[in-house]
Amino acid sequence: MEHKLEVNGFLKDLGHRVRTLRTAAGRSLQDLAGQAEISPRFLSDVEAGRGNISVARLCRVAEALERPIQTLLPGDKTDSSLLGRVWEMLESSTAEDLEELHSWLSERRQNPVPRSIALVGVRGAGKSTVGKKLARRLGMGFRELDAVIEEESGISLVELFTLHGEGYYRQLQHDVVERMLAKSSPMVLATGGSLVVDRETWGLVRRHCHTIWLKARPKDHWDRVVAQGDIRPMRNNPSAMDELKAMLKSREPLYAQAEITVDTSRNTPAESTALIVESLRKRARREDHPSTAARRPPPAGSR
């Protein structure tokens, strides 16, 4: 009975910690649950101290909150019983959970990416979907640049352009990127589709990040944007598809300056993520052994 009471107390403390960090980050329960790939109902049970969450799931919650997993555990970090608590959770985990945890920890320890990763491409390329998967795979935080700009300005991008114009947006975008990249922790950054046309900001990103161009067929860009519920670019515009094709063609030389190119029309989000990770690892190995770089083929999924 005493053991059961200790476990229940730990789960309640854990739930309180998760809820506190979530609300402090301004995240809704549904948003956090979606990014952590668990149900909102289960996350609600966890926060209420009723859900006995596995280590693998707790790792995903920590990643979604952009926090080290130890910050979710209640009690002082120096508490000698902390290891026992973690061990208790490991003992109650399934073989699948343990395999997922092992894979996640292996990625963290073997992470070949000391710098941030910037995903570029026209809207609908899959930057958000692939970016979140890539961030989880590498144990990094994930941010969408346009969302950060909206947070900084306090208004939507549509309002920002209407009230202040493109020049103001470009300057704000540059300032936000510069400030974000000055942080010590690498991240996966999904950039706005037009970032590459700003020479100064694109140069800044290329100097400080691994750059990945996610390309797709025009129709796939179109269909994905429509699937997101946004038909503004197409409304009352019979030339919308032609304009999209022209935009892709004009920006292609700029996007092609990225280190790696992955075709998201040919590859699923999971496949695209795997291609990026493998390409980055190959690049890291070539940098470690520059004398053999010239004899090696280009990374999978890259130009």
Side-chain angles (χ1 to χ4, degrees):
M1 176 64 72
E2 182 179 353
H3 174 72
K4 185 175 182 180
L5 289 174
E6 289 179 357
V7 172
N8 289 341
F10 174 74
L11 292 177
K12 287 182 179 180
D13 290 344
L14 174 66
H16 176 73
R17 184 68 176 157
V18 171
R19 183 171 63 252
T20 299
L21 292 173
R22 175 179 63 77
T23 55
R27 304 284 295 279
S28 69
L29 189 143
Q30 289 77 11
D31 175 47
L32 180 60
Q35 189 172 348
E37 298 181 353
I38 60 179
S39 72
R41 181 175 180 178
F42 180 67
L43 180 57
S44 177
D45 285 343
V46 170
E47 292 189 352
R50 297 188 299 269
N52 192 353
I53 189 169
S54 70
V55 174
R57 287 181 172 181
L58 189 62
C59 284
R60 294 203 297 266
V61 172
E63 292 171 30
L65 287 169
E66 300 181 11
R67 295 271 190 163
I69 189 172
Q70 60 265 29
T71 63
L72 272 63
L73 298 175
D76 191 292
K77 293 181 181 178
T78 61
D79 187 344
S80 61
S81 65
L82 177 58
L83 183 59
R85 292 172 181 172
V86 173
W87 184 255
E88 185 177 275
M89 295 175 73
L90 289 173
E91 286 185 323
S92 65
S93 298
T94 65
E96 183 180 356
D97 287 338
L98 293 174
E99 180 63 30
E100 186 174 347
L101 176 61
H102 178 268
S103 177
W104 181 82
L105 289 173
S106 296
E107 292 287 357
R108 289 297 298 266
R109 296 187 67 179
Q110 300 174 13
N111 189 351
V113 189
R115 294 186 293 163
S116 291
I117 299 171
L119 304 178
V120 299
V122 173
R123 185 180 177 191
K127 291 174 291 185
S128 296
T129 302
V130 173
K132 292 174 183 177
K133 289 182 177 295
L134 182 62
R136 284 195 296 270
R137 180 83 175 264
L138 296 176
M140 292 181 171
F142 172 75
R143 300 303 302 271
E144 293 192 59
L145 179 57
D146 282 346
V148 177
I149 291 174
E150 288 184 332
E151 291 173 8
E152 295 256 343
S153 64
I155 56 177
S156 69
L157 288 183
V158 173
E159 293 173 311
L160 192 150
F161 272 92
T162 301
L163 295 174
H164 302 291
E166 182 177 353
Y168 179 85
Y169 167 79
R170 295 294 177 205
Q171 184 59 55
L172 182 57
Q173 175 182 246
H174 183 275
D175 293 344
V176 169
V177 168
E178 190 172 43
R179 194 156 52 249
M180 293 178 73
L181 296 182
K183 294 181 178 179
S184 58
S185 299
M187 73 184 82
V188 177
L189 180 64
T191 69
S194 65
L195 179 139
V196 295
V197 304
D198 186 329
R199 178 183 297 182
E200 186 175 356
T201 306
W202 179 219
L204 176 67
V205 169
R206 291 176 65 200
R207 287 193 301 273
H208 294 278
C209 302
H210 291 293
T211 49
I212 317 293
W213 175 24
L214 300 185
K215 64 180 297 185
R217 293 186 294 262
K219 187 177 185 304
D220 289 328
H221 282 287
W222 179 289
D223 290 345
R224 291 167 185 171
V225 171
V226 171
Q228 294 169 8
D230 188 355
I231 61 172
R232 289 175 300 170
M234 305 83 172
R235 185 184 290 123
N236 300 322
N237 185 4
S239 303
M241 177 59 80
D242 291 335
E243 291 175 4
L244 173 59
K245 291 178 179 179
M247 178 196 298
L248 288 169
K249 186 175 181 179
S250 66
R251 292 182 183 173
E252 184 171 343
L254 296 170
Y255 288 134
Q257 293 172 355
E259 296 175 28
I260 298 167
T261 299
V262 172
D263 191 328
T264 60
S265 289
R266 295 183 178 181
N267 301 287
T268 66
E271 291 169 342
S272 297
T273 300
L275 285 171
I276 293 171
V277 171
E278 181 59 23
S279 296
L280 290 171
R281 283 178 173 167
K282 288 181 178 179
R283 285 176 175 271
R285 288 196 292 268
R286 288 203 303 275
E287 291 173 358
D288 289 339
H289 304 284
S291 61
T292 63
R295 299 196 297 272
R296 296 187 179 182
S302 68
R303 297 187 308 278

